[in-house]
Amino acid sequence: MSDDVRQNQRPEEQPGEIEEEIPVMSAPPPPTPRKAAAMGNRNAPPKPPVFAEEEEELLVTTPPPPVQRARTSAPPPFWSDRQNDHAHDDDVPISGASASSLYENELELRNLAEQTNTNVDAMGKLAAGTLKLIADNMRQMTDQQIERVNEMLRGIDLKDYLDPAFWQGIGMILRYQVDEQMAFIKRRMSGQYVTDAYGMDREIIDLVRPSLMFLYRTWWRVSVEGVEHVPAEGRALLVGNHSGVLPWDGAMIATAVAEEHPAQNQRLVRSMHLHWFSTLPFVSPALAALGQVPGLPENAIRLLEQDELVSVFPEGLKGVGKLFKDRYKLARFGRGGFVQAAIRAQAPIVPVAVVGAEEIYPMFANAENLAKLLGMPYFPLTPFFPWLGPLGFIPLPTRWSITFCEPLRTDMYDPAEADDPLTVLGLSELVRTTIQATIDRRLEERSSIF
Amino acid sequence: MTRVLINGIDSHLGAQVAQRLSVFPEVSIIGLGRKTPPAPVGRADWLLAHLSGLQMVELLRAEAIDVVVQLAFVEHGASREEAVQQNVLGSMELLGACAKAGVQRVVLRSHTALYGANPLNPTYIAEYRPLAKINGPGWLRDVFEVEQFSAEFAARHPQLSLVPVRCAPLIGDSSPLITYLRQPNPSMLAGFDPCLQLLHLEDAAGGLAMAALSHAPGPFNLASSDTICLSQAIKLAGGKAKIVLEPVVSLAFAMGNRAILGHWPFELSFLRHSCIVDTCRAHGDLGWAPEHSAVDTLMALQADEPDLARRELAAEALRAFLERRNEGVHDE
């Protein structure tokens, strides 16, 4: 949560930013001397300690440029929210201490990474992102579990991310945390919890949010444009291009809206998924718990009428099961059902262009016969799947961008016009060309897929 | 003056509907059943008999009945043959008699499970949705058959308005779902946890009474406004779910072993997918709103269980005693 600002900043803007943050984040231990000492003690530093010390100096002493001040203080609810968040952390003594020292480490690694060469830089950012994931997860753990994590942490030199032992230790902690989360879900199955009629479960959403944030910030380094076009309240239909074999794009659009929207109200996006997923054991309740809804027009209209944010991918299977050679060419937009739903519910349509998701699983062929045999809509063959087994599920860490375009109003249409094919197909084509044009523009701006 | 006949006053639901209708002074109520009503029936007068079709016409004509509420369904406890006789043939006979005797409106108790549990159904199913073909347990097939027959019958008799009232699984009386939930280890499918809607007996009675007195065309869905996961329902009812793998169930079904799911009262697909109905029409056209949530209803079920059984036993003993006493008095 706290690094979203940092990430969006250019390096020279950082000092001002950090000066703001330090008092909030590291409230229990006085940061500078301890950190400097730690740096000095290290045997195999990825960079000389002198450098690091200089940097600490830089962080604390450089007065922030006045322009920056104005910028950071511009949206006050944003900052005040954040401070409350961390203040709350400090209420719990153990978690507060250990989570915030992890955040410190994360910050440090990020700063180090800024100054090294590119390969190590990527590694450092990954390490920082992973530490943040662990810290975020810790905020939802019990004291005993936190104690356990702290014990594991004590064995690891948190600054030495070039040492395989660092990754081994981190891997162990993450596995422990995932195990605990699964155990939590299982325990809850036999306890009491509430869901809505679609099966959405707020607690599960909160539980997986840190992991989604890790994918969003660290793995895919998503950059967002135009998120203010999503209304802060009231209904809207987000229409995106579908890609990438598994529907990660829906999850990232939802994360972008929850985390980056200027209103900062953590708005939930209800994604529409293919109803075929509802027939799969375990997948079906998992998707439902995360707030996804079977993609039927009645469901879309109903949710929109309840003033929810709904996201749809009109390409459907044709999009998500697209071959690598067809990437970024939008498929047909169904029969315009999404436009009908938007007109009936008088909800604005926000076209969303996702770039980067096409390359996460480069699918060079679709084994159609095998898919038919297994009753699946498609069976992807990628360089890694199914040859590497479960490892083939790991998506490539491409760099993503998500662009929210200007909303298209539908309130000038009469709801009865939802039955007019000319209006519906015309509007559907307009949305499609808008998304295609935005994708093309973003593709031109992109220098590398990683 | 509206004259209502309740067929099936010998059930808790029938008695409750009679009570609800008794509130309106301009309504006169007659109950028809085979046993004495199990609960107070308000101002209703009742007839305990097994009438044939023609006798039914005679009764309807003599009493100038305007509205018939058909609740006489056996859900369990009877043999298959008896159940079909009463559920399907009984309803057909009743409809025929109503048409002949000039009854204006027939309210038919039906079930929301008729929509089927299908991923292609919208999450909230409205009344216009076509009914699914039921291959499952007998009592549900009967309800389906009655709805199908009554739709055809209504098309041929436009002067008779036929109003199916599709109720979510009832809680408050004995019902197939309660039998399932009362087991110590009800079965669930691995990897699925469908949401359920329930309906408290009192809410069902209220809805049926409103449907009987209104002039709005049906059908109507009645269900609690909240939903509850099956795993939660089992827990609230005091049991612990037994998880079974779907291939095992399919294999057992193929080999003719239907007992593997215990007393699950619906088709297998209902353990996979939710079947949740939209009750907007009952809210709008009837002004009906449920007073009990599904969660409260289930909690009450768990709390009341021994109490309820005890009270029922006592009531029965008291009735038998008073009858005996009365007979004794007359003899003397």
Side-chain angles (χ1 to χ4, degrees):
Chain A
M1 158 91 86
S2 52
D3 72 332
D4 36 8
V5 192
R6 255 176 286 139
Q7 270 239 319
N8 295 340
Q9 301 268 322
R10 291 187 302 279
E12 67 268 23
E13 288 177 350
Q14 271 199 351
E17 213 43 55
I18 283 158
E19 223 242 4
E20 289 270 337
E21 272 192 17
I22 276 179
V24 184
M25 308 237 333
S26 53
T32 324
R34 198 175 61 82
K35 257 199 259 176
M39 304 286 269
N41 288 343
R42 233 162 355 99
N43 293 330
K47 82 181 1 298
V50 193
F51 224 106
E53 211 121 37
E54 258 179 33
E55 196 179 279
E56 293 293 338
E57 288 280 302
L58 197 80
L59 292 183
V60 184
T61 53
T62 316
V67 192
Q68 221 105 73
R69 272 256 181 244
R71 233 209 68 167
T72 46
S73 58
F78 181 87
W79 267 106
S80 55
D81 264 13
R82 183 151 302 189
Q83 278 174 349
N84 288 341
D85 224 326
H86 283 282
H88 177 72
D89 265 2
D90 294 341
D91 293 346
V92 190
I94 304 173
S95 80
S98 97
S100 68
S101 76
L102 273 178
Y103 287 129
E104 257 171 58
N105 272 307
E106 174 217 346
L107 199 68
E108 214 166 287
L109 289 184
R110 233 179 256 290
N111 289 331
L112 280 175
E114 290 291 339
Q115 318 213 356
T116 33
N117 66 54
T118 39
N119 283 338
V120 182
D121 156 84
M123 195 77 156
K125 279 190 180 150
L126 186 62
T130 319
L131 287 189
K132 180 171 154 48
L133 171 61
I134 292 176
D136 284 351
N137 277 337
M138 269 164 95
R139 297 168 70 176
Q140 297 172 7
M141 297 181 106
T142 64
D143 286 356
Q144 282 163 335
Q145 290 168 342
I146 289 167
E147 198 38 55
R148 180 86 197 276
V149 172
N150 280 337
E151 227 165 79
M152 289 172 160
L153 278 174
R154 258 168 240 138
I156 310 170
D157 181 356
L158 286 181
K159 274 130 212 139
D160 194 3
Y161 56 79
L162 290 179
D163 182 358
F166 170 87
W167 291 103
Q168 221 172 358
I170 291 292
M172 246 167 59
I173 295 176
L174 275 177
R175 205 159 61 196
Y176 170 71
Q177 287 188 332
V178 169
D179 283 351
E180 285 296 337
Q181 286 180 349
M182 294 309 285
F184 169 76
I185 292 175
K186 253 188 226 154
R187 261 201 312 282
R188 245 175 39 108
M189 290 283 226
S190 53
Q192 273 188 36
Y193 59 98
V194 276
T195 64
D196 69 354
Y198 303 92
M200 185 179 78
D201 190 328
R202 289 264 175 184
E203 277 183 32
I204 301 273
I205 292 179
D206 289 342
L207 194 70
V208 301
R209 178 150 281 157
S211 304
L212 284 178
M213 283 303 292
F214 171 76
L215 286 174
Y216 184 86
R217 294 276 175 226
T218 308
W219 199 250
W220 287 315
R221 293 143 289 152
V222 184
S223 65
V224 167
E225 200 179 275
V227 70
E228 67 279 0
H229 288 143
V230 178
E233 49 195 38
R235 61 191 76 175
L237 187 67
L238 309 180
V239 181
N241 58 311
H242 216 1
S243 52
V245 184
L246 289 182
W248 285 113
D249 41 5
M252 289 301 111
I253 290 176
T255 312
V257 173
E259 299 293 332
E260 309 256 22
H261 198 278
Q264 283 292 304
N265 49 0
Q266 299 248 329
R267 238 190 129 174
L268 275 179
V269 178
R270 312 294 302 253
S271 292
M272 296 269 151
H273 65 74
L274 189 71
H275 47 74
W276 175 70
F277 286 112
S278 304
T279 63
L280 302 176
F282 301 104
V283 174
S284 150
L287 287 178
L290 295 177
Q292 301 222 9
V293 175
L296 296 161
E298 290 92 343
N299 287 348
I301 294 170
R302 195 177 181 100
L303 286 169
L304 286 173
E305 282 173 350
Q306 290 165 359
D307 280 333
E308 301 253 15
L309 270 184
V310 177
S311 80
V312 290
F313 299 98
E315 287 175 281
L317 275 182
K318 298 185 295 299
V320 77
K322 210 183 287 173
L323 293 182
F324 190 65
K325 67 178 168 63
D326 298 325
R327 63 190 183 280
Y328 299 120
K329 279 184 227 132
L330 284 189
R332 182 164 55 80
F333 261 24
R335 285 160 190 75
F338 72 97
V339 176
Q340 285 182 312
I343 293 180
R344 288 234 161 84
Q346 302 273 294
I349 298 175
V350 182
V352 184
V354 182
V355 168
E358 294 271 17
E359 289 98 354
I360 59 174
Y361 301 107
M363 170 168 162
F364 58 77
N366 175 8
E368 277 174 58
N369 289 332
L370 188 56
K372 237 176 243 166
L373 199 68
L374 297 174
M376 288 162 61
Y378 51 88
F379 190 89
L381 301 176
T382 76
F384 313 104
F385 186 84
W387 334 110
L388 297 185
L391 283 182
F393 282 106
I394 299 177
L396 293 181
T398 55
R399 186 182 286 276
W400 286 30
S401 76
I402 300 179
T403 314
F404 295 88
C405 308
E406 293 245 359
L408 299 165
R409 285 174 47 196
T410 53
D411 51 359
M412 63 277 217
Y413 298 102
D414 187 75
E417 279 185 88
D419 295 320
D420 174 20
L422 291 183
T423 314
V424 169
L425 294 179
L427 199 51
S428 160
E429 194 51 32
L430 177 63
V431 174
R432 188 170 167 272
T433 46
T434 310
I435 297 176
Q436 183 73 68
T438 316
I439 289 178
D440 293 345
R441 179 168 64 79
R442 298 296 292 218
L443 277 176
E444 262 174 43
E445 289 167 13
R446 182 170 78 160
S447 53
S448 144
I449 67 168
F450 291 109
Chain B
M1 190 74 169
T2 313
R3 294 159 167 276
V4 183
L5 178 120
I6 300 171
N7 188 23
I9 195 123
D10 48 358
S11 63
H12 278 280
L13 183 60
Q16 277 275 350
V17 174
Q19 262 190 48
R20 293 282 172 139
L21 289 174
S22 303
V23 174
F24 303 98
E26 74 284 4
V27 177
S28 81
I29 313 141
I30 291 174
L32 183 61
R34 310 225 174 141
K35 300 177 300 206
T36 11
V41 290
R43 289 189 289 107
D45 195 1
W46 73 82
L47 166 66
L48 302 187
H50 184 181
L51 297 184
S52 75
L54 286 176
Q55 288 165 330
M56 185 75 85
V57 177
E58 202 184 327
L59 170 70
L60 293 174
R61 280 205 178 127
E63 286 291 326
I65 297 292
D66 305 305
V67 182
V68 171
V69 182
Q70 160 67 329
L71 305 172
F73 288 101
V74 207
E75 284 181 343
H76 56 142
S79 78
R80 199 63 214 104
E81 201 39 55
E82 248 176 83
V84 173
Q85 190 70 36
Q86 181 172 348
N87 296 349
V88 181
L89 298 172
S91 299
M92 286 168 75
E93 239 176 8
L94 180 74
L95 286 184
C98 289
K100 210 162 235 162
V103 171
Q104 288 154 18
R105 190 174 172 87
V106 178
V107 175
L108 205 69
R109 190 208 152 178
S110 180
H111 206 288
T112 55
L114 295 188
Y115 296 112
N118 186 328
L120 285 172
N121 273 345
T123 303
Y124 282 95
I125 304 169
E127 285 86 349
Y128 66 82
R129 193 89 194 161
L131 301 182
K133 178 98 190 72
I134 300 289
N135 306 311
W139 66 271
L140 207 53
R141 223 160 47 213
D142 292 350
V143 179
F144 176 71
E145 218 176 299
V146 171
E147 267 234 26
Q148 216 176 18
F149 172 80
S150 63
E152 284 165 23
F153 192 86
R156 275 181 280 114
H157 297 85
Q159 79 283 2
L160 179 72
S161 89
L162 254 162
V163 185
V165 175
R166 299 175 186 148
C167 301
L170 276 186
I171 301 286
D173 188 7
S174 58
S175 78
L177 189 70
I178 294 195
T179 317
Y180 165 82
L181 288 175
R182 286 248 168 99
Q183 299 175 98
N185 297 95
S187 310
M188 279 179 72
L189 282 186
F192 289 103
D193 192 4
C195 290
L196 291 177
Q197 269 172 325
L198 302 171
L199 185 60
H200 194 281
L201 191 77
E202 287 171 13
D203 288 330
L208 285 162
M210 283 167 173
L213 297 183
S214 134
H215 292 285
F220 295 104
N221 290 336
L222 299 185
S224 63
S225 39
D226 61 336
T227 61
I228 183 166
C229 291
L230 184 59
S231 60
Q232 283 292 293
I234 291 173
K235 188 169 176 300
L236 288 182
K240 193 169 186 304
K242 181 178 86 189
I243 307 290
V244 282
L245 290 173
E246 194 171 350
V248 177
V249 178
S250 309
L251 194 71
F253 271 30
M255 286 161 58
N257 174 12
R258 292 208 148 250
I260 186 154
L261 284 183
H263 293 284
W264 178 243
F266 307 110
E267 290 174 273
L268 179 59
S269 61
F270 283 79
L271 278 176
R272 244 184 263 130
H273 307 295
S274 311
C275 171
I276 291 165
V277 295
D278 182 344
T279 53
C280 289
R281 198 162 175 180
H283 285 280
D285 290 359
L286 298 182
W288 174 82
E291 288 161 17
H292 302 267
S293 76
V295 177
D296 295 346
T297 309
L298 271 177
M299 303 251 263
L301 178 73
Q302 190 185 9
D304 277 6
E305 188 183 352
D307 205 34
L308 198 79
R310 191 157 17 90
R311 226 182 308 153
E312 236 166 84
L313 268 178
E316 208 166 293
L318 180 65
R319 222 173 15 245
F321 171 76
L322 290 179
E323 259 169 43
R324 245 187 357 257
R325 294 287 291 177
N326 278 341
E327 277 164 23
V329 168
H330 289 306
D331 284 350
E332 274 168 17

